[in-house]
Amino acid sequence: MFIIDYIVGMGASVMMPLIFIILGLILRLSISKSIKAGLMVGIGFIGLSITVNLMIDSLTPVSNAIVQRFGLHLTVLDMGWPAAAAVAMGTRVGALVIPVCVAINVLMLYTKTTRILNVDIWNLWHHAFTGSLVAIITGNLWLGVLAAGLNCIVTMVIADRTTADVEKYLNLPGISVPHGFSASFVPAAWLVNAIVDRIPGVRDIKIDTDVIQKRLSILGDPACLGAIIGAILAIIAGVDVKSVLQTAITMAAVMTIIPRMAKMLMEGVYPISERIQEIAQSRAGSFGRISIGLDSAVSVGHPVTLSVSMLMIPIMLILAAIIPGNEFLPFASLTGLPFAFVLVTAVCRGDMFRTLLTGLITLSLALLIGTALAPLVTSTAISTGFSLPHGATSISSVDYAGAMLPWVIIKGFYFKTIGIAVLIICALLLALWNRKKIRLEDQELMQSESTQASIGE
């Protein structure tokens, strides 16, 4: 645990390169290729981190100005995901979550209930967050660990079921995104797709990057789109002309730089991914196809993801003011909204209309869930020694206290034995269902390869 804590404490930009270098050596890549892969992953993460922080630094004063301009006075303060992660990893559940979730991942690989090798160790804090809240309400550490494990299993299944969409619509072959926050919005996206597909006329609405670029010409370019949305946000905030222009240029830079940093990161991932596939194939299908599980940051720069995220900032503040029963003031989490839409964009096939519709539904619920979980989040934070902001009596966060998955799991533990049994059965059934889907996909792949071979002959 000391070694794990030490490595995690270095941060993702150091931890991920070390993981990939060690993984490359274990997979018998040459030392030079392993080091190169690790360094490229580290460079990509640093580039993404710098760019995302640039976006946060630019949008934070704009978001603050919007809050002040609309005069929002709500009692539950938003502590943001960094503070939520620190609280989650600072509990006893957080101390155990990494070895527990790694063991679950290995077990699921061996039982073929997943095909993801998750190396995104840092974001296991999402599972620790759920487990920590459960430990508070039950007073039992091991029930908290169980809750974290259930959260992990469900997230892995969702990541598996979205792998094909991630490859096709986000252009990330061999990559999955078992990111707790991103995965939590996927069921709603599936539901939105199912409903929209059954409504004549509405199902024909399609607004993707190709449509935007075709109809708006240069205005549909990601850089121009970022500049336009950034300027609109700044104008809504009522800031001066200088700030409007600075925000516009910064958002244009973000929309341009993030995809390039993600591409650089992928240069480090590909050699590891290809080597894993080679080993899997050489073992006569003992594992089948395996994908690498990465942070959703690898595709946070998709034009639809960023556009919808920026549009949702003022919309979410308006929702906070008008939704009955809401006491949660979203602020610190607003600049982290792109992470909510990475998998939604993929599931909605890169369509901005469906992604935005999903965002309206899920983030409306996030405000109410964040309000409902605020007492638990506050108790957990205080128990870890977290200092509440001056004057604050209640805190919460969109990520991860506003997500549907942890809320469902926590609610299940309120029903004690019956609720826990239902949660365990549901998680196991989802894993078995995923295993069945994986087997069918492998059979289809084998048939397709056999057909192609016959045609070739």
Side-chain angles (χ1 to χ4, degrees), residues 15-16 19-20 23 41 45 102 105 116-124 156 175-176 178 269 272 276 291-295:
M15 180 182 69
M16 295 305 293
I19 290 175
F20 273 85
L23 191 56
V41 168
F45 262 103
V102 168
N105 190 184
I116 299 171
L117 176 62
N118 185 16
V119 299
D120 184 22
I121 304 298
W122 165 245
N123 279 305
L124 295 178
M156 293 291 287
I175 300 301
S176 295
V269 173
I272 303 294
I276 288 175
S291 58
I292 303 292
L294 291 178
D295 189 336

Side-chain angles (χ1 to χ4, degrees), residues 162-191:
T162 55
T163 296
D165 292 329
V166 167
E167 178 171 344
K168 183 175 182 180
Y169 298 104
L170 303 184
N171 194 28
L172 295 172
I175 300 301
S176 295
V177 182
H179 185 276
F181 187 47
S182 302
S184 292
F185 290 79
V186 168
W190 284 332
L191 181 61

Side-chain angles (χ1 to χ4, degrees), residues 195-206 353-354:
I195 294 173
V196 171
D197 286 339
R198 286 167 174 76
I199 303 176
V202 178
R203 64 188 173 206
D204 298 323
I205 299 175
K206 185 175 180 61
F353 170 70
R354 297 187 184 209

Side-chain angles (χ1 to χ4, degrees), residues 26 38-39 52 104 106 109 146 187 224 240 253 256 328 333 346 372 401:
I26 292 173
L39 289 176
V52 170
I104 289 173
V106 172
L109 281 170
L146 173 62
C224 293
D240 57 33
T256 303
F328 179 53
S333 296

Side-chain angles (χ1 to χ4, degrees), residues 185-199 201-205 207 304 307-309 311-312 315 319 340-341 344-345 348 350-366:
F185 290 79
V186 168
W190 284 332
L191 181 61
V192 167
N193 273 342
I195 294 173
V196 171
D197 286 339
R198 286 167 174 76
I199 303 176
V202 178
R203 64 188 173 206
D204 298 323
I205 299 175
I207 309 174
V304 169
S307 299
V308 171
S309 302
L311 288 173
M312 283 305 303
I315 292 174
L319 291 172
F341 294 105
V344 173
T345 298
C348 292
D351 180 45
M352 191 170 177
F353 170 70
R354 297 187 184 209
T355 302
L356 183 59
L357 188 58
T358 303
L360 289 170
I361 296 170
T362 52
L363 292 179
S364 296
L365 290 173

